[in-house]
Amino acid sequence: MASRHMVFRAFYALGFTPWDGHPQSATLRELVEGNHRLPPGSALDVGCGTGDASIYLAQHGWQVTGVDFTPKALRKARAKARAAQVTVNFVDADVTHLSQAGIGPGFQLIVDNGCFHGMSGSDRELYVQEITAVAASGARLFMVAFRPSGRFGPAGVEQSEIERRFTPAWSLLSATDEPRPPDANRFSARFRARSYVLQRQA
Ligand SMILES: C[S@@+](CC[C@H](N)C(=O)[O-])C[C@H]1O[C@@H](n2cnc3c(N)ncnc32)[C@H](O)[C@@H]1O
C-alpha cells in the first residue's frame, strides 16, 4: 500500500486538494482574535498544506513555523505568504519526527487542520510524543479533525481517542462541532468535523 506521504504527493500533483481554501475555524479565530485571545508568540502549524492557517497567524502577530511533508504544498505556501507580505518559516518535515528536523521547542500555539485525523495508529503515537516535546508549558493545541465516517477519505478520530492519547500531558479544554461550510464540495460534505482545544500541562 502506498505510504501517506506518496498519497499526499499524488493528491497535490493531481490538484485534488478539496481541503484547500477552507475558512479558519471560529474556535481558532477566538483563540487568536477573541476577547480572551492568547498573547502572540511562536506558533507551529502541522500539516500546513498551502499555508492558509500559517499566514492567518502571521497576520495576527505570531511567529509561525509551518510544517508539511509535501514539497508542492510548501512551494504554494511560500508563494502565498510572499503575496500576503508575511514571513512564515515553512519547513519540509514529517510531523512524526519534528525534533529530528530541528523544530522547536517552545511553541505556545500548535495548529492542526486535518493532519492528525488521517494518520495511522503508530503515527498518532509518534505525533503525540513530538507535539508534546515541542510545546511550551501551558501551550494550546488547536485541532480540527473529522469524526470517523467509514468512507473513502481520512480515517477520522473520536473525541475519546483524543482524550486517551493526549492525557496526561495535555488536558482537553473544549470540543466543538464545526459548522459545515456553506460552499462544502461533494468531498467535504461527507464528513463531520470537530475542533478541539487542548492545553499542555506544566
Ligand atoms: C488535509 S491536508 C490539510 C492542509 C492544511 N492544514 C489545510 O487545512 O488546508 C493535510 C496536510 O497534512 C500533510 N501531512 C499529512 N501527514 C503529514 C506528516 N506526517 N508530516 C507532515 N505533513 C503531513 C499533508 O501533506 C497535507 O498537506
Side-chain angles (χ1 to χ4, degrees):
M1 197 177 118
S3 70
R4 304 272 317 151
H5 198 172
M6 296 311 291
V7 169
F8 275 109
R9 275 182 184 235
F11 282 166
Y12 280 102
L14 293 169
F16 177 71
T17 54
W19 52 82
D20 225 5
H22 63 79
Q24 299 307 316
S25 158
T27 304
L28 179 61
R29 284 191 278 111
E30 192 59 34
L31 283 174
V32 172
E33 299 177 63
N35 290 339
H36 303 290
R37 61 183 166 271
L38 301 171
S42 65
L44 176 66
D45 181 10
V46 291
C48 64
T50 66
D52 290 344
S54 298
I55 291 166
Y56 165 74
L57 292 169
Q59 285 169 331
H60 288 85
W62 288 80
Q63 288 194 322
V64 189
T65 300
V67 168
D68 204 288
F69 64 12
T70 308
K72 185 168 182 187
L74 291 173
R75 282 199 295 278
K76 285 194 168 181
R78 290 188 184 108
K80 281 161 86 169
R82 266 195 306 278
Q85 300 187 313
V86 292
T87 302
V88 175
N89 178 28
F90 287 112
V91 183
D92 184 347
D94 192 312
V95 172
T96 59
H97 292 87
L98 290 174
S99 339
Q100 233 175 55
I103 292 161
F107 293 104
Q108 282 107 20
L109 175 62
I110 299 171
V111 170
D112 176 340
N113 279 305
C115 185
F116 181 82
H117 72 179
M119 293 176 143
S120 66
S122 53
D123 278 355
R124 289 179 187 193
E125 205 169 314
L126 290 171
Y127 174 108
V128 175
Q129 280 173 27
E130 292 290 302
I131 293 294
T132 303
V134 300
S137 166
R140 301 294 201 286
L141 166 62
F142 166 79
M143 180 189 289
V144 177
F146 289 158
R147 310 237 355 241
S149 72
R151 301 182 188 187
F152 169 78
V157 61
E158 293 287 9
Q159 178 173 330
S160 54
E161 181 181 339
I162 290 187
E163 290 182 78
R164 175 173 59 78
R165 287 192 182 276
F166 284 90
T167 304
W170 297 78
S171 56
L172 183 66
L173 298 183
S174 70
T176 313
D177 284 333
E178 287 288 302
R180 190 160 286 179
D183 60 345
N185 54 36
R186 276 179 58 211
F187 178 81
S188 57
R190 296 174 177 201
F191 300 102
R192 285 171 305 151
R194 204 161 160 73
S195 65
Y196 303 91
V197 180
L198 296 103
Q199 182 167 23
R200 175 85 171 92
Q201 299 300 310

